[in-house]
Amino acid sequence: MEIVIATNNKGKVREYRDILAPLGFEVFSQAEKGISIDVEETGATFEENAALKARAVYDLCRGWVLSDDSGLEVTALGGEPGIYSARYKGLQTEAERRRAILDALEGQDDRSARFVCCICLISPDGAQHLFKGIWKGVIAREEDGANGFGYDPIFVSEDGAGRTTASLPISFKETYSHRAKAVAMLMAYLRGADAVRA
Ligand code: IMP
């Protein structure tokens, strides 16, 4: 079975290839299928944005399609940066965006936050399934660590023993992260009864 990952991000395609190949999927990027769209993320939620991206590619190929959308929600900032995590306040670099979060939380007692990952899977008959992983934690007082990407240097997960995600081994995220949780749900679904045989 073929599946197209609805993204132009090569790293993401590689990750999903590693995950889905053992289940018998031949994983393709949009580009490999000649699909050159860059879907505008106009949804109001991670679910909506993941579905928008998957549906746009599905409409062009009518086969298995997978997409995901993820980000960081900070309680004291009313859930920001949320779906705007990759472009928070229009800031260009990840370092600037991390700095903006630390500055916004200056003097705040509530530093709770969570990472969210939403995976959207569409099967050849057009049925759509969403898998949502949540990873709770707090925002650190200052940056620490060089592993991972994005907000990892300022995120201390509930299972991180007080250390930022970026200061822990990469394998830690593979077990505990929002993405790992959403992928686990996806795998359970795909391994289940009729999903892959359909
Ligand atoms: P996207 O789902 O690839 O659009 O990612 C959205 C943005 O959320 C990224 O650019 C990061 O800023 C942030 N983000 C999502 N997942 C993580 C993570 O695991 N660690 C750190 N930042 C993340």
Side-chain angles (χ1 to χ4, degrees):
M1 282 159 308
E2 297 189 350
I3 187 165
V4 181
I5 311 301
T7 181
N8 289 313
N9 179 333
K10 285 183 187 150
K12 222 175 237 188
V13 174
R14 204 174 313 122
E15 276 185 29
Y16 280 110
R17 183 166 289 136
D18 291 346
I19 292 164
L20 295 169
L23 292 177
F25 280 103
E26 205 180 338
V27 176
F28 294 90
S29 65
Q30 283 184 204
E32 284 167 333
K33 284 288 172 187
I35 298 172
S36 60
I37 53 171
D38 192 5
V39 181
E40 223 187 313
E41 299 187 12
T42 53
T45 61
F46 294 110
E47 287 90 336
E48 283 177 21
N49 280 338
L52 273 175
K53 291 185 270 189
R55 188 58 64 181
V57 171
Y58 174 81
D59 285 343
L60 295 172
C61 72
R62 303 269 157 185
W64 287 95
V65 176
L66 183 147
S67 74
D68 72 12
D69 199 43
S70 62
L72 176 72
E73 294 181 339
V74 179
T75 312
L77 304 180
E80 284 191 357
I83 56 169
Y84 304 107
S85 291
R87 45 200 156 122
Y88 185 45
K89 291 189 183 293
L91 295 166
Q92 295 301 308
T93 67
E94 292 183 332
E96 286 173 312
R97 293 192 282 270
R98 290 194 295 270
R99 186 71 254 161
I101 302 276
L102 291 177
D103 289 348
L105 288 182
E106 196 67 49
Q108 272 286 353
D109 289 333
D110 181 2
R111 303 186 71 85
S112 64
R114 62 183 205 169
F115 272 124
V116 179
C117 176
C118 210
I119 294 176
C120 179
L121 176 76
I122 302 184
S123 48
D125 63 0
Q128 183 173 306
H129 295 273
L130 288 162
F131 307 93
K132 186 174 187 175
I134 290 174
W135 197 21
K136 292 183 186 163
V138 295
I139 301 299
R141 300 260 162 207
E142 55 191 35
E143 283 202 25
D144 189 31
N147 291 334
F149 68 99
Y151 299 99
D152 285 338
I154 61 169
F155 184 73
V156 177
S157 71
E158 58 190 358
D159 27 41
R163 297 174 62 187
T164 66
T165 304
S167 66
L168 291 165
I170 302 273
S171 56
F172 178 76
K173 278 183 84 176
E174 288 165 9
T175 307
Y176 294 104
S177 79
H178 49 316
R179 200 163 291 104
K181 286 174 181 150
V183 163
M185 289 179 222
L186 167 75
M187 299 283 276
Y189 172 76
L190 286 174
R191 286 204 182 100
D194 300 325
V196 188
R197 283 188 285 278

Coordinates of all heavy atoms in Angstrom, one line a residue, residues 74-141:
V74 N 0.8 27.7 26.0 CA 1.2 28.1 27.3 C 0.0 28.7 28.0 O -0.7 29.6 27.5 CB 2.3 29.2 27.2 CG1 2.7 29.7 28.5 CG2 3.5 28.7 26.4
T75 N -0.4 28.2 29.2 CA -1.6 28.5 29.9 C -1.7 30.0 30.1 O -2.7 30.6 29.8 CB -1.7 27.7 31.2 OG1 -1.4 26.4 31.0 CG2 -3.1 27.9 31.8
A76 N -0.7 30.6 30.7 CA -0.7 32.0 31.1 C -0.8 32.9 29.9 O -1.1 34.1 30.0 CB 0.5 32.4 32.0
L77 N -0.5 32.4 28.7 CA -0.6 33.2 27.5 C -1.9 32.9 26.7 O -2.0 33.1 25.5 CB 0.6 33.0 26.6 CG 2.0 33.2 27.3 CD1 3.1 33.0 26.3 CD2 2.1 34.7 27.8
G78 N -2.9 32.3 27.4 CA -4.1 32.0 26.8 C -4.0 31.0 25.7 O -4.8 31.0 24.7
G79 N -3.0 30.1 25.8 CA -2.8 29.0 24.8 C -1.9 29.4 23.7 O -1.6 28.5 22.8
E80 N -1.4 30.6 23.7 CA -0.4 31.0 22.7 C 0.9 30.3 23.0 O 1.2 29.9 24.2 CB -0.2 32.5 22.7 CG -1.3 33.2 22.0 CD -0.9 34.7 21.8 OE1 0.1 35.2 22.2 OE2 -1.8 35.4 21.2
P81 N 1.8 30.0 22.0 CA 1.7 30.4 20.6 C 0.7 29.4 19.8 O 0.3 29.8 18.7 CB 3.1 30.3 20.0 CG 3.8 29.4 21.0 CD 3.2 29.6 22.3
G82 N 0.4 28.2 20.4 CA -0.6 27.4 19.8 C -0.3 27.1 18.3 O 0.8 26.7 17.9
I83 N -1.4 27.3 17.5 CA -1.2 26.9 16.0 C -0.2 27.9 15.3 O 0.1 27.6 14.2 CB -2.6 26.9 15.3 CG1 -3.3 28.3 15.5 CG2 -3.5 25.8 15.8 CD1 -4.5 28.4 14.5
Y84 N 0.1 28.9 16.0 CA 1.1 29.9 15.4 C 2.5 29.6 15.9 O 3.4 30.5 15.8 CB 0.7 31.3 15.8 CG -0.7 31.7 15.3 CD1 -1.7 31.8 16.2 CD2 -1.0 31.8 14.0 CE1 -3.0 32.1 15.8 CE2 -2.3 32.0 13.5 CZ -3.3 32.2 14.4 OH -4.6 32.4 14.0
S85 N 2.8 28.4 16.5 CA 4.1 28.1 17.1 C 5.3 28.3 16.1 O 6.3 28.8 16.6 CB 4.1 26.7 17.6 OG 3.3 26.6 18.7
A86 N 5.1 28.0 14.9 CA 6.2 28.1 13.9 C 6.4 29.6 13.4 O 7.4 29.9 12.8 CB 6.0 27.2 12.7
R87 N 5.5 30.5 13.8 CA 5.6 31.8 13.3 C 5.1 32.8 14.4 O 4.5 33.8 14.1 CB 4.7 32.0 12.0 CG 3.4 31.4 12.1 CD 2.7 31.1 10.8 NE 1.7 30.0 11.0 CZ 0.4 30.1 10.7 NH1 -0.1 31.3 10.2 NH2 -0.4 29.1 10.9
Y88 N 5.4 32.5 15.6 CA 4.9 33.3 16.8 C 5.4 34.7 16.7 O 6.5 35.0 16.5 CB 5.4 32.6 18.1 CG 5.0 33.3 19.4 CD1 3.6 33.6 19.5 CD2 5.8 33.5 20.4 CE1 3.2 34.2 20.7 CE2 5.4 34.0 21.6 CZ 4.1 34.4 21.7 OH 3.6 34.9 22.9
K89 N 4.4 35.6 16.8 CA 4.7 37.1 16.7 C 5.5 37.5 15.5 O 6.2 38.5 15.5 CB 5.4 37.5 18.0 CG 4.6 37.5 19.2 CD 5.3 38.1 20.4 CE 4.5 38.0 21.7 NZ 3.2 38.8 21.7
G90 N 5.5 36.7 14.4 CA 6.2 37.0 13.2 C 7.7 36.9 13.4 O 8.4 37.3 12.5
L91 N 8.2 36.3 14.5 CA 9.6 36.3 14.7 C 10.2 35.2 13.8 O 9.7 34.2 13.6 CB 9.9 36.0 16.2 CG 9.4 37.1 17.1 CD1 9.4 36.6 18.6 CD2 10.3 38.3 17.0
Q92 N 11.4 35.5 13.3 CA 12.0 34.7 12.2 C 12.7 33.5 12.7 O 12.7 32.4 12.1 CB 13.0 35.6 11.5 CG 12.4 36.7 10.7 CD 11.4 36.2 9.7 OE1 11.6 35.4 8.9 NE2 10.1 36.8 9.8
T93 N 13.4 33.5 13.9 CA 14.1 32.4 14.4 C 13.5 31.7 15.6 O 12.8 32.3 16.4 CB 15.6 32.8 14.7 OG1 15.5 33.6 15.9 CG2 16.2 33.6 13.6
E94 N 13.9 30.4 15.8 CA 13.4 29.7 16.9 C 13.9 30.3 18.2 O 13.2 30.4 19.2 CB 13.9 28.2 16.8 CG 13.2 27.5 15.7 CD 13.6 26.0 15.6 OE1 14.7 25.7 16.1 OE2 12.8 25.2 15.1
A95 N 15.1 30.8 18.2 CA 15.7 31.4 19.4 C 14.9 32.7 19.8 O 14.6 32.9 21.0 CB 17.2 31.8 19.1
E96 N 14.5 33.5 18.8 CA 13.7 34.7 19.1 C 12.3 34.3 19.6 O 11.8 35.0 20.6 CB 13.5 35.5 17.8 CG 14.7 36.3 17.3 CD 14.5 36.9 16.0 OE1 14.0 36.2 15.1 OE2 14.8 38.1 15.8
R97 N 11.8 33.3 19.1 CA 10.5 32.8 19.6 C 10.5 32.3 21.0 O 9.6 32.6 21.8 CB 9.9 31.8 18.6 CG 9.5 32.4 17.2 CD 8.7 31.5 16.4 NE 9.4 30.4 15.8 CZ 10.0 30.4 14.6 NH1 10.0 31.5 13.9 NH2 10.7 29.4 14.1
R98 N 11.6 31.6 21.3 CA 11.8 31.1 22.7 C 11.9 32.3 23.7 O 11.4 32.3 24.7 CB 13.0 30.2 22.8 CG 12.8 28.8 22.1 CD 13.9 27.9 22.5 NE 15.3 28.3 22.1 CZ 15.8 27.9 21.0 NH1 15.2 27.1 20.1 NH2 17.1 28.3 20.7
R99 N 12.8 33.2 23.3 CA 13.0 34.4 24.1 C 11.7 35.2 24.3 O 11.4 35.6 25.4 CB 14.0 35.4 23.3 CG 14.5 36.6 24.0 CD 15.4 36.2 25.2 NE 14.8 36.4 26.5 CZ 15.2 35.9 27.6 NH1 16.3 35.1 27.6 NH2 14.6 36.1 28.7
A100 N 10.8 35.2 23.3 CA 9.6 35.9 23.4 C 8.7 35.3 24.5 O 8.0 35.9 25.3 CB 8.8 36.0 22.1
I101 N 8.7 34.0 24.5 CA 7.9 33.2 25.5 C 8.5 33.5 26.9 O 7.7 33.8 27.9 CB 7.9 31.7 25.3 CG1 7.4 31.4 23.9 CG2 7.2 30.9 26.3 CD1 6.0 31.2 23.7
L102 N 9.8 33.4 27.1 CA 10.4 33.6 28.4 C 10.1 35.1 28.9 O 9.7 35.3 30.0 CB 11.9 33.4 28.3 CG 12.4 32.0 28.1 CD1 13.9 31.9 28.0 CD2 11.9 31.1 29.3
D103 N 10.1 36.0 28.0 CA 9.9 37.4 28.4 C 8.4 37.6 28.7 O 8.1 38.3 29.7 CB 10.2 38.4 27.2 CG 11.7 38.5 27.0 OD1 12.5 38.0 27.8 OD2 12.1 39.0 25.9
A104 N 7.5 36.9 28.0 CA 6.1 37.1 28.3 C 5.7 36.5 29.6 O 4.7 36.9 30.2 CB 5.3 36.4 27.1
L105 N 6.5 35.5 30.1 CA 6.2 34.8 31.3 C 6.9 35.5 32.5 O 6.8 35.0 33.7 CB 6.5 33.3 31.3 CG 5.6 32.5 30.4 CD1 6.0 31.0 30.4 CD2 4.1 32.7 30.9
E106 N 7.7 36.5 32.3 CA 8.4 37.2 33.3 C 7.4 37.6 34.5 O 6.4 38.2 34.2 CB 9.0 38.5 32.7 CG 10.1 39.2 33.5 CD 11.4 38.3 33.6 OE1 11.9 37.8 32.6 OE2 11.8 38.2 34.8
G107 N 7.7 37.2 35.7 CA 6.8 37.5 36.8 C 5.6 36.7 36.9 O 4.8 36.9 37.9
Q108 N 5.4 35.7 36.0 CA 4.2 34.8 36.1 C 4.5 33.6 37.0 O 5.5 33.0 36.9 CB 3.9 34.3 34.7 CG 3.0 35.2 33.8 CD 1.6 35.1 34.3 OE1 1.2 34.3 35.2 NE2 0.7 36.0 33.8
D109 N 3.5 33.3 37.8 CA 3.6 32.1 38.7 C 3.2 30.9 37.9 O 3.9 29.8 38.1 CB 2.7 32.3 39.9 CG 3.3 33.3 40.9 OD1 4.5 33.5 40.9 OD2 2.5 33.9 41.6
D110 N 2.2 31.0 37.1 CA 1.7 29.9 36.3 C 2.6 29.7 35.1 O 2.4 30.5 34.1 CB 0.3 30.0 36.0 CG -0.3 28.8 35.2 OD1 0.5 27.9 35.0 OD2 -1.5 28.9 34.8
R111 N 3.5 28.7 35.1 CA 4.3 28.5 33.9 C 3.9 27.2 33.2 O 4.7 26.7 32.4 CB 5.8 28.4 34.4 CG 6.2 29.7 35.1 CD 7.7 29.7 35.4 NE 8.6 29.9 34.2 CZ 8.9 31.1 33.7 NH1 8.5 32.2 34.3 NH2 9.7 31.1 32.6
S112 N 2.7 26.7 33.5 CA 2.3 25.5 32.9 C 2.1 25.6 31.3 O 1.7 26.7 30.9 CB 1.0 24.9 33.5 OG 0.0 25.8 33.3
A113 N 2.4 24.5 30.6 CA 2.3 24.5 29.2 C 2.1 23.1 28.7 O 2.2 22.1 29.5 CB 3.6 25.1 28.6
R114 N 1.8 23.0 27.4 CA 1.7 21.6 26.9 C 2.0 21.6 25.4 O 1.7 22.6 24.7 CB 0.4 21.0 27.1 CG -0.8 21.7 26.5 CD -2.1 21.1 26.8 NE -3.1 21.4 25.8 CZ -4.3 20.8 25.7 NH1 -4.6 19.9 26.6 NH2 -5.1 21.1 24.8
F115 N 2.6 20.6 24.9 CA 2.8 20.4 23.5 C 1.7 19.5 23.0 O 1.2 18.6 23.7 CB 4.1 19.6 23.2 CG 5.3 20.4 23.1 CD1 6.5 20.2 23.9 CD2 5.4 21.4 22.1 CE1 7.6 20.9 23.7 CE2 6.6 22.1 21.9 CZ 7.7 21.9 22.7
V116 N 1.2 19.9 21.8 CA 0.1 19.1 21.2 C 0.5 18.6 19.8 O 1.2 19.4 19.1 CB -1.2 20.0 21.0 CG1 -2.3 19.2 20.4 CG2 -1.6 20.6 22.4
C117 N 0.2 17.4 19.5 CA 0.4 16.9 18.1 C -0.8 16.3 17.6 O -1.4 15.4 18.3 CB 1.6 15.9 18.1 SG 1.8 15.2 16.4
C118 N -1.3 16.7 16.5 CA -2.5 16.1 15.9 C -2.1 15.5 14.5 O -1.6 16.2 13.6 CB -3.5 17.2 15.7 SG -5.1 16.7 15.8
I119 N -2.4 14.2 14.4 CA -2.2 13.5 13.1 C -3.5 13.2 12.5 O -4.4 12.8 13.1 CB -1.5 12.1 13.4 CG1 -0.1 12.3 14.0 CG2 -1.4 11.3 12.1 CD1 0.7 11.0 14.3
C120 N -3.6 13.5 11.2 CA -4.8 13.2 10.4 C -4.4 12.2 9.4 O -3.5 12.3 8.6 CB -5.3 14.5 9.7 SG -6.8 14.2 8.7
L121 N -5.2 11.1 9.4 CA -5.1 10.0 8.4 C -6.3 9.9 7.6 O -7.4 9.9 8.1 CB -4.9 8.7 9.2 CG -4.8 7.4 8.3 CD1 -3.4 7.3 7.7 CD2 -5.0 6.2 9.2
I122 N -6.1 9.9 6.3 CA -7.3 9.6 5.4 C -7.1 8.3 4.6 O -6.0 8.1 4.1 CB -7.5 10.8 4.4 CG1 -7.7 12.1 5.2 CG2 -8.7 10.6 3.5 CD1 -8.0 13.3 4.3
S123 N -8.1 7.5 4.6 CA -7.9 6.2 3.9 C -8.5 6.4 2.5 O -9.2 7.4 2.2 CB -8.6 5.1 4.7 OG -9.9 5.5 5.1
P124 N -8.2 5.4 1.6 CA -8.6 5.6 0.2 C -10.1 5.8 0.0 O -10.4 6.5 -1.0 CB -8.2 4.2 -0.4 CG -7.0 3.8 0.4 CD -7.4 4.2 1.8
D125 N -10.9 5.4 0.9 CA -12.4 5.6 0.7 C -12.8 7.0 1.2 O -13.9 7.4 1.2 CB -13.2 4.6 1.5 CG -13.0 4.6 3.0 OD1 -12.1 5.4 3.4 OD2 -13.6 3.8 3.7
G126 N -11.8 7.8 1.7 CA -12.0 9.2 2.1 C -12.3 9.4 3.6 O -12.5 10.5 4.0
A127 N -12.4 8.2 4.3 CA -12.7 8.3 5.8 C -11.5 9.0 6.5 O -10.3 8.7 6.1 CB -12.9 7.0 6.3
Q128 N -11.8 9.8 7.4 CA -10.7 10.6 8.1 C -10.7 10.3 9.6 O -11.7 10.2 10.3 CB -11.2 12.1 7.9 CG -10.2 13.1 8.5 CD -10.7 14.5 8.1 OE1 -10.9 14.8 6.9 NE2 -10.8 15.3 9.1
H129 N -9.4 10.1 10.1 CA -9.2 9.8 11.5 C -8.2 10.8 12.1 O -7.2 11.0 11.4 CB -8.7 8.4 11.6 CG -9.7 7.4 11.2 ND1 -10.7 6.9 12.0 CD2 -9.9 6.8 10.0 CE1 -11.5 6.0 11.3 NE2 -11.0 6.0 10.1
L130 N -8.5 11.2 13.3 CA -7.6 12.1 14.0 C -7.0 11.5 15.2 O -7.7 10.8 16.0 CB -8.3 13.4 14.4 CG -8.6 14.3 13.2 CD1 -9.7 15.3 13.6 CD2 -7.4 15.1 12.7
F131 N -5.7 11.7 15.5 CA -5.0 11.1 16.6 C -4.3 12.3 17.3 O -3.4 12.9 16.7 CB -4.0 10.0 16.2 CG -4.7 9.0 15.4 CD1 -4.6 9.1 14.0 CD2 -5.4 7.9 15.9 CE1 -5.2 8.1 13.2 CE2 -6.0 7.0 15.1 CZ -5.9 7.1 13.7
K132 N -4.6 12.5 18.6 CA -4.1 13.7 19.3 C -3.2 13.3 20.5 O -3.8 12.7 21.4 CB -5.3 14.6 19.7 CG -4.8 15.9 20.3 CD -6.1 16.8 20.5 CE -5.7 18.2 21.0 NZ -6.9 19.0 21.1
G133 N -2.0 13.7 20.5 CA -1.1 13.5 21.6 C -0.8 14.8 22.4 O -0.6 15.8 21.7
I134 N -0.9 14.7 23.7 CA -0.6 15.9 24.5 C 0.5 15.6 25.5 O 0.5 14.5 26.1 CB -1.9 16.2 25.3 CG1 -2.9 16.8 24.3 CG2 -1.6 17.3 26.4 CD1 -4.3 17.1 24.9
W135 N 1.4 16.5 25.7 CA 2.6 16.3 26.6 C 2.6 17.5 27.5 O 2.9 18.6 27.1 CB 3.8 16.3 25.7 CG 5.0 15.7 26.4 CD1 5.1 14.9 27.5 CD2 6.4 15.8 26.0 NE1 6.3 14.5 27.8 CE2 7.2 15.1 26.9 CE3 7.0 16.5 24.9 CZ2 8.6 15.0 26.8 CZ3 8.4 16.5 24.8 CH2 9.2 15.7 25.7
K136 N 2.3 17.3 28.8 CA 2.2 18.4 29.7 C 3.6 18.7 30.3 O 4.4 17.8 30.5 CB 1.2 18.0 30.8 CG -0.2 18.0 30.4 CD -1.1 17.7 31.6 CE -2.5 17.5 31.1 NZ -3.3 16.8 32.2
G137 N 3.7 20.0 30.7 CA 5.0 20.4 31.4 C 4.9 21.8 31.9 O 3.8 22.4 32.0
V138 N 6.1 22.4 32.1 CA 6.2 23.9 32.4 C 7.2 24.5 31.6 O 8.1 23.8 31.0 CB 6.5 24.1 33.9 CG1 5.4 23.5 34.8 CG2 7.8 23.4 34.3
I139 N 7.2 25.8 31.5 CA 8.2 26.6 30.8 C 9.3 26.9 31.8 O 9.1 27.5 32.9 CB 7.7 27.9 30.2 CG1 6.5 27.6 29.2 CG2 8.8 28.7 29.5 CD1 6.9 26.7 28.0
A140 N 10.6 26.6 31.4 CA 11.7 26.8 32.3 C 12.0 28.3 32.5 O 11.4 29.1 31.8 CB 13.0 26.1 31.7
R141 N 12.8 28.6 33.5 CA 13.1 30.1 33.8 C 14.1 30.5 32.7 O 14.2 31.7 32.4 CB 13.7 30.2 35.1 CG 12.8 29.8 36.2 CD 12.1 31.0 36.9 NE 10.9 30.5 37.6 CZ 9.8 31.2 37.9 NH1 9.7 32.4 37.4 NH2 8.8 30.7 38.5

